[in-house]
Amino acid sequence: MPSDDVAIRVEHVSKDFKLPHEKNSSIKSAVVNFWRRKRGYEIQHTLKDISFEVKKGEFFGIVGRNGSGKSTLLKMLAGIYMPTTGNIQVNGKLTPFIELGVGFNPELTGRENVFLNGSLLGFNRKEMAAMYDDIVAFAEIEKFMDQKLKNYSSGMQVRLAFSIAVKANSPVLLLDEVLAVGDADFQRKCFDYFMSLKSEKRTVVLVTHDMEAVRQYCDKAVMIEKGNITKAGAAESVAQEYQKLFIEDSSSAQATGSDSWGEGGMIVEKSRVVVKDDSVIITSYYGAERDLPAPLYGIVIYNNAGVNILEANTRKDRI
C-alpha cells in the first residue's frame, strides 16, 4: 500500500540474467540451434527475493562484496534494469550517479555536456540553467567549461559528473561507490556535502565498501551476499556484519593451508580512517569474544576491486 513517508519500496524483487554458452555467429547456426532446441545458456540468479523500504529523508546504505548483486539492485532502483519478479516503487524524482561518464560526449564542451547530462537525468534546459553556476562552482573547473571534454583529465571529468549528480537537487539520490572518486581534497568536499544532505533530510541511497562512511552517514543499511539480504537494520550493526565476512574468509583460508593465521575470537568494534597530508592513520578498536591472554591481531586493506593491497599484524609488524 502507498505510504506518504516512504521514498522507495522494494517488494520481493528478484533479477535473473541469461548467460550464453555459445555465440550464434550466423543465421544458419541460430536456426540450427533453434530447431535442435539446444539450450545455449544458463540462468544466473543475481538477486533473490529482496525486500526493504527507504523512508523519506533517510540516508540508506547498501553494502556487499564484489559480485554480490548490490550494483544490479541500484540499477533497478534507477530504472535501468527491470525486475524479473517483484515490484519497485519510487515516490518522487530520482537522480542516479551510477557509472562515471555515462551520457558524456567527448566532442562537446564541458558546458554542453552539463546540459546534455541534465537532459538525460530528466531536467529541462531552464532547470539546468538555474543549476549551472552551482554545478561549475562545486566542480571547481570554471575556466575549462568551454573546452572539449576529451581534453579534460580523468579527475576533472569525475568532478563534473559528480557535481551534476549532487547539484541536481532531486528528492532521491542514488550513489554507487562515489567515495572512491577524485583526489583527497575533492573527497573531503564530498563528505562535507553528504553532511549537508543529512541536515536537509534528503533521501540518499549509497552503495559503498567504506564501512566508516556507512557508520558516519547512514541511518539504516542492508547487506547483500550472494544475491540475498543477509543483514538489515541499523548502520552500525550492518557494518559490523560486513566486516565479519573478511574474518570468516581468513578462517577459511587458514583451514585450507594458506599463509593466513589465527583462530578467531576477536572482532572489530570500531574503526576510523584519517587522511593527513601524505599519511593515512587507521585507528581500530577490537573486542574479545572469549579470554585471550596474549592475542595477536592484524589488519588487511583491500581496494575497490577486492585486491589485498596492504597487510600488517603484530606477529611481524608494529601496528
Side-chain angles (χ1 to χ4, degrees):
M1 296 294 291
S3 177
D4 290 339
D5 65 340
V6 175
I8 298 174
R9 177 179 285 115
V10 178
E11 296 178 307
H12 304 291
V13 165
S14 296
K15 181 62 179 177
D16 299 335
F17 291 97
K18 290 183 178 180
L19 300 181
H21 288 160
E22 57 194 24
K23 181 180 179 180
N24 292 322
S25 57
S26 66
I27 296 176
K28 179 180 177 180
S29 62
V31 172
V32 169
N33 287 335
F34 174 79
W35 286 108
R36 288 178 178 174
R37 300 187 182 277
K38 188 174 181 181
R39 184 187 174 103
Y41 62 87
E42 64 180 275
I43 301 297
Q44 179 187 32
H45 303 290
T46 304
L47 292 172
K48 309 165 189 174
D49 196 26
I50 301 294
S51 296
F52 62 88
E53 286 185 347
V54 180
K55 303 292 186 182
K56 290 182 179 178
E58 199 167 60
F59 217 115
F60 192 87
I62 300 176
V63 306
R65 291 186 283 192
N66 291 331
S68 62
K70 59 187 187 301
S71 292
T72 297
L73 174 59
L74 205 65
K75 289 178 181 179
M76 286 197 292
L77 296 180
I80 298 172
Y81 292 158
M82 295 299 294
T84 303
T85 60
N87 181 60
I88 296 176
Q89 176 187 347
V90 178
N91 297 321
K93 197 169 187 176
L94 179 149
T95 298
F97 183 77
I98 295 177
E99 294 183 10
L100 174 62
V102 171
F104 275 178
N105 186 329
E107 294 299 328
L108 298 180
T109 66
R111 183 188 303 273
E112 291 167 335
N113 271 288
V114 168
F115 287 91
L116 173 63
N117 204 255
S119 66
L120 294 176
L121 294 174
F123 297 96
N124 59 40
R125 187 171 184 83
K126 183 177 180 181
E127 290 172 326
M128 289 307 299
M131 293 185 281
Y132 179 81
D133 289 340
D134 286 341
I135 290 170
V136 176
F138 191 89
E140 299 178 353
I141 54 173
E142 292 93 335
K143 63 182 181 179
F144 302 101
M145 292 306 295
D146 290 314
Q147 290 188 15
K148 289 187 176 183
L149 197 76
K150 66 181 181 182
N151 297 322
Y152 283 23
S153 67
S154 58
M156 290 166 63
Q157 293 186 40
V158 166
R159 288 171 178 260
L160 185 60
F162 181 69
S163 300
I164 294 171
V166 299
K167 289 299 183 180
N169 202 32
S170 59
V172 182
L173 188 62
L174 303 183
L175 304 174
D176 187 5
E177 292 299 349
V178 74
L179 301 181
V181 304
D183 55 27
D185 288 337
F186 191 68
Q187 287 185 29
R188 280 193 289 269
K189 191 171 185 176
C190 295
F191 292 147
D192 292 339
Y193 188 75
F194 287 162
M195 293 306 297
S196 70
L197 291 177
K198 282 185 68 69
S199 64
E200 295 170 6
K201 297 296 182 182
R202 294 268 296 278
T203 305
V204 180
V205 177
L206 173 67
V207 167
T208 183
H209 288 287
D210 186 346
M211 291 305 102
E212 192 60 29
V214 172
R215 290 183 170 101
Q216 184 173 357
Y217 301 111
C218 295
D219 304 301
K220 294 181 181 178
V222 295
M223 183 176 79
I224 299 178
E225 179 71 3
K226 296 180 180 179
N228 296 288
I229 290 182
T230 55
K231 183 71 175 179
E236 177 62 33
S237 64
V238 173
Q240 288 187 10
E241 194 69 20
Y242 178 79
Q243 289 174 324
K244 287 180 182 178
L245 291 176
F246 299 96
I247 297 175
E248 293 169 0
D249 283 349
S250 296
S251 299
S252 299
Q254 179 196 5
T256 58
S258 74
D259 290 337
S260 296
W261 59 283
E263 56 185 28
M266 297 181 70
I267 61 173
V268 180
E269 294 182 340
K270 184 179 180 182
S271 293
R272 183 178 183 183
V273 179
V274 177
V275 179
K276 185 176 182 181
D277 298 327
D278 293 329
S279 300
V280 178
I281 302 171
I282 303 173
T283 306
S284 295
Y285 299 87
Y286 295 83
E289 297 177 319
R290 60 178 184 271
D291 185 28
L292 298 171
L296 300 176
Y297 60 93
I299 61 172
V300 179
I301 299 177
Y302 296 87
N303 63 16
N304 287 334
V307 177
N308 180 343
I309 59 173
L310 176 64
E311 181 175 350
N313 58 66
T314 56
R315 182 177 64 174
K316 60 181 181 179
D317 304 285
R318 181 183 176 188
I319 64 172

